[in-house]
Amino acid sequence: MKAIALTEFGEPDVLSYQELDDPLVGPDRVLVETRAAGVNPVDWKIRRGYLRGLFPHHTPLISGWDLAGVVRAVGPAVTEFKPGDEVVGYVREDHVQYGTYAELVAAPVRTLAHKPGAADFTQAAGLPLAGLTALQMLQAVETGTDDSVLVHAASGGVGHLAVQIAFALGASRVIGTASERNHDFLRELGAEPVTYGPGLQGRVAELVGGDGKVDTAIDMAGGTALRETPEILRDSSRHASVEDPETVLQQGGHYVFVRPDTEELTWLSKLIDRGQLRVEVQRTFPLREAAQAHELLEQGHVRGKLVLTVE
C-alpha cells in the first residue's frame, strides 16, 4: 500500500510518500480502505517528536489518527461491521506507528463507527478526533439545558464543532472567540463571536450583561485564554482544556485528552444525519501532499478542518 510515513522527527519534509506492507488484520480489527484522512494539530506534534515522552513510538511511523473509508475485511471476532460498510474512525492506540495517512488501515473495532450518510468521505474524515474532543470536553464540564458556553478558538477544527454540539446538548447560548475575519462564520453556526486576546473578560462581560459571567467554558488555545477563563465563569470548576494540563488542573478545571468511543462517535454521526452538525473543511490535499497540509496547519488560523484525500 501507499502511505505517508516518517523515520525521523522534524520539519514537514520528513514525511515521505512510500510503499509499505499491507497491515495485518487481527481478530478484533477491521481493514479499511481509506478514502480520506483528517489532519489534526496532534499530527504535526507527533511529527516533531513532542509526544515521545507520552507514547512509545516506532518507525517507520505512519501519521494520522482520523479516517473515513470502506470496510474491505474484518477479523473473525468482529460482528459490528462487514465488507462494504462505510465507516469513520478515531484510530488511536497506546503506541504510535500505524496511522491513517495510508491506503489501508487495520483499525481496532473499538475505534470505528458507521459513517454518517449525510456527509461525504471528506467531511466525515474531519469528524472523529475533533468531534469527540469537543463532546468529551463539553461532557466533562456537564454542559446541559439552558447553559451559556464560552468556546475558545471557536472557528478551528474542534471549536466549530463544539459550538454546534453545545446547542445539541441543550445550551441556550454559545459565545466563541475568534479573529474578526471568522466572526460571520461563527454567526452562521449560531454563536456570538468575540475577539480573542487580552481583555477578553471585559468583552465577554459586556456581551452577556448581568453578572458578566457564563456557565461553562472549553479551551483549545491555552495561554492567556486559559488563564483568564476562571474569572469568566460562575463556577470556576466548570471549564476544560486540551492545553497545559498542569495549569487547568491547578485552576480546578478538567484536562481532556480525547479517547476513542464508538458510542459517542455514532451519536455525532447521527447529529450530522439530522442536520444538527456540519464539518467545515477549509481545504483538501491529495495524500502525497501531506507535508503541505502540515505546513498550512502549523501556521494556525485554519477555519474548520484540513483533510487528505486518498484515490
Side-chain angles (χ1 to χ4, degrees), residues 88-100:
V88 291
Y90 168 44
V91 189
R92 177 175 72 78
E93 303 191 54
D94 294 329
H95 66 101
V96 181
Q97 182 174 19
Y98 301 116
T100 58

Side-chain angles (χ1 to χ4, degrees), residues 1-2 21-23 25 29-35 69-75 81-87 102-107 112 310-311:
M1 68 173 183
K2 296 292 187 182
D21 292 339
D22 290 354
V25 185
R29 288 182 178 259
V30 177
L31 184 64
V32 181
E33 296 178 358
T34 308
R35 300 294 174 81
V70 179
V71 174
R72 175 185 286 189
V74 300
F81 304 99
K82 64 184 185 302
D85 284 351
E86 297 180 348
V87 295
E103 292 177 329
L104 295 171
V105 175
L112 298 176
V310 183
E311 301 298 334

Side-chain angles (χ1 to χ4, degrees), residues 16-290:
S16 173
Y17 185 67
Q18 55 187 275
E19 187 86 25
L20 295 174
D21 292 339
D22 290 354
L24 300 174
V25 185
D28 63 347
R29 288 182 178 259
V30 177
L31 184 64
V32 181
E33 296 178 358
T34 308
R35 300 294 174 81
V39 181
N40 296 287
V42 71
D43 298 348
W44 66 256
K45 294 174 183 178
I46 288 172
R47 191 202 73 231
R48 289 191 175 275
Y50 295 166
L51 271 66
R52 280 182 289 178
L54 304 178
F55 296 95
H57 287 53
H58 309 282
T59 58
L61 188 160
I62 301 172
S63 299
W65 282 349
D66 269 349
L67 68 71
V70 179
V71 174
R72 175 185 286 189
V74 300
V78 175
T79 59
E80 297 89 342
F81 304 99
K82 64 184 185 302
D85 284 351
E86 297 180 348
V87 295
V88 291
Y90 168 44
V91 189
R92 177 175 72 78
E93 303 191 54
D94 294 329
H95 66 101
V96 181
Q97 182 174 19
Y98 301 116
T100 58
Y101 293 10
E103 292 177 329
L104 295 171
V105 175
V109 68
R110 63 181 175 82
T111 67
L112 298 176
H114 290 280
K115 183 182 82 66
D120 61 25
F121 284 108
T122 299
Q123 295 164 324
L127 173 67
L129 186 153
L132 286 171
T133 301
L135 176 58
Q136 290 172 17
M137 294 178 79
L138 290 164
Q139 290 175 328
V141 299
E142 300 181 345
T143 301
T145 303
D146 295 330
D147 277 338
S148 55
V149 182
L150 174 65
V151 178
H152 291 295
S155 64
V158 175
H160 86 288
L161 298 177
V163 168
Q164 301 169 77
I165 295 167
F167 284 124
L169 292 173
S172 60
R173 187 175 192 179
V174 179
I175 298 164
T177 71
S179 60
E180 291 187 5
R181 68 185 180 89
N182 286 317
H183 283 193
D184 285 342
F185 171 60
L186 293 186
R187 292 187 183 99
E188 291 176 14
L189 301 178
E192 301 168 67
V194 292
T195 304
Y196 63 83
L200 176 64
Q201 180 183 354
R203 291 191 293 277
V204 171
E206 183 178 357
L207 181 63
V208 302
D211 63 2
K213 298 182 182 295
V214 298
D215 295 309
T216 70
I218 62 171
D219 166 60
M220 283 68 69
T224 301
L226 177 57
R227 290 192 295 272
E228 288 193 20
T229 293
E231 302 302 320
I232 302 173
L233 291 166
R234 295 188 177 94
D235 177 348
S236 62
S237 69
R238 295 186 71 190
H239 76 288
S241 180
V242 296
E243 300 287 342
D244 193 352
E246 182 177 352
T247 295
V248 71
L249 293 174
Q250 286 179 347
Q251 293 172 331
H254 306 265
Y255 173 68
V256 173
F257 190 85
V258 60
R259 300 174 180 177
D261 190 301
T262 292
E263 183 176 341
E264 292 179 350
L265 189 52
T266 298
W267 184 80
L268 292 170
S269 294
K270 290 179 179 178
L271 285 188
I272 290 179
D273 284 336
R274 291 199 296 264
Q276 293 178 266
L277 182 65
R278 68 180 175 95
V279 180
E280 176 79 5
V281 177
Q282 176 177 309
R283 185 174 171 184
T284 63
F285 296 81
L287 180 63
R288 65 172 62 244
E289 295 180 8

